[in-house]
Amino acid sequence: MEKVAHGIWFIPGQDEFIPDSHTYVLGEPSTQDLSLIDPGLTGKASYKIQAIQKMGVELEAIKRVILTHTHLDHIGCLPEILEHLPWAELWAHEAEATPLEQGDERTVYGMEMFRSMCEMQYGLKPGAFARTVDRHLEGDEVLNIGGMKWQVIHIPGHSMGGIALYDDSRKTLIPGDVVYADYAIGRFDLHGADPSELNRSLTRLAELEVDILLPGHNRIVKGLAPGYIRETAKQWEPYLV
Ligand SMILES: [Zn+2]
Ligand SMILES: [Zn+2]
């Protein structure tokens, strides 16, 4: 686990034949009010819990898990993570929280073929991710958590309830799978995806001043070039109709 900035830790995903999302831990340690962003793929909880402990972060300080979205590579090890953090709340955007609570896992798997493959690979049963989401986010909230202020931005397109977290004082953006480094963006062919919404979401993110980009996969970037997201959106615009 790497410290990206004060109050921001990064645990890289460990990809297998399915990618494992990066996990971020946010919050000033002294507040004992930390948030874990995106647990990751099925089977990755013990690796991530160990990484957190190695950094000297007390598990008791982690008060909630926030999901950028509910794809399997981000939510897969949530049940395992919550065994280590049984007190933690779960926060996610309303558009994916409600289906999750109802046991509708179409967003988790994205497509039927992938569902049967994962159920076989990981022994997952239907309803494995059904659980209460303690806080349904709507977008445009400012979360005062762990001595930091994170703005929630609803960025559908890759999935219906995708959110970004943005800290304007540190110019730090956690965009889930909507935009990555190296002019890459998230796929827009899974359940609930919508290319024109993705285009609008990229345009919205392009308005932000971003210095540190902490995406769901691939490399993180410190010292992001000004206009990077705008340029990425421009390159992809012809495909996002
Ligand atoms: Zn992902
Ligand atoms: Zn995704």
Side-chain angles (χ1 to χ4, degrees):
M1 182 152 97
E2 180 193 327
K3 198 167 178 174
V4 179
H6 187 66
I8 305 176
W9 293 271
F10 162 49
I11 310 169
Q14 274 189 335
D15 296 346
E16 292 184 10
F17 78 104
I18 297 171
D20 170 28
S21 79
H22 297 329
T23 297
Y24 299 99
V25 177
L26 309 178
E28 306 259 358
S30 63
T31 63
Q32 295 285 296
D33 178 32
L34 307 185
S35 303
L36 185 150
I37 314 303
D38 286 353
L41 181 64
T42 309
K44 296 298 176 187
S46 57
Y47 152 63
K48 291 187 172 169
I49 290 288
Q50 275 169 22
I52 291 167
Q53 287 173 322
K54 253 187 230 159
M55 284 294 290
V57 172
E58 290 169 38
L59 293 185
E60 290 73 20
I62 301 177
K63 298 296 194 292
R64 68 194 67 80
V65 173
I66 305 176
L67 301 170
T68 62
H69 62 301
T70 60
H71 282 159
L72 186 75
D73 57 322
H74 298 248
I75 198 179
C77 72
L78 175 70
E80 306 152 47
I81 285 273
L82 290 178
E83 278 175 28
H84 293 273
L85 313 171
W87 55 82
E89 290 197 352
L90 180 63
W91 296 7
H93 188 272
E94 162 68 21
E96 291 181 38
T98 301
L100 200 70
E101 289 180 327
Q102 294 168 346
D104 175 353
E105 291 169 338
R106 284 176 296 175
T107 300
V108 172
Y109 294 105
M111 58 173 82
E112 277 310 308
M113 197 183 74
F114 190 60
R115 174 199 291 269
S116 27
M117 194 176 90
C118 293
E119 286 183 347
M120 238 159 49
Q121 173 76 16
Y122 296 113
L124 290 164
K125 301 267 183 306
F129 298 101
R131 65 191 59 246
T132 303
V133 177
D134 300 283
R135 181 161 177 188
H136 290 215
L137 300 166
E138 291 171 7
D140 297 330
E141 299 93 337
V142 176
L143 307 177
N144 277 295
I145 46 176
M148 302 169 99
K149 280 186 187 166
W150 292 91
Q151 186 192 343
V152 177
I153 307 168
H154 182 212
I155 43 169
H158 171 69
S159 68
M160 284 173 289
I163 56 162
L165 295 174
Y166 178 65
D167 174 350
D168 68 348
S169 71
R170 294 168 184 80
K171 300 193 182 356
T172 298
L173 179 69
I174 300 177
D177 283 353
V178 165
V179 62
Y180 307 113
D182 307 311
Y183 303 101
I185 62 169
R187 56 192 290 180
F188 41 89
D189 59 332
L190 299 172
H191 173 77
D194 182 322
S196 57
E197 294 230 56
L198 184 54
N199 189 29
R200 274 196 293 280
S201 293
L202 286 166
T203 304
R204 174 135 192 229
L205 295 182
E207 291 163 10
L208 306 171
E209 227 180 298
V210 180
D211 180 47
I212 301 178
L213 179 68
L214 304 175
H217 303 277
N218 306 328
R219 66 188 184 91
I220 65 170
V221 185
K222 297 186 217 175
L224 192 72
Y228 168 79
I229 297 176
R230 193 172 304 284
E231 181 54 35
T232 304
K234 213 169 91 189
Q235 288 188 18
W236 281 96
E237 198 176 14
Y239 306 97
L240 298 178
V241 287

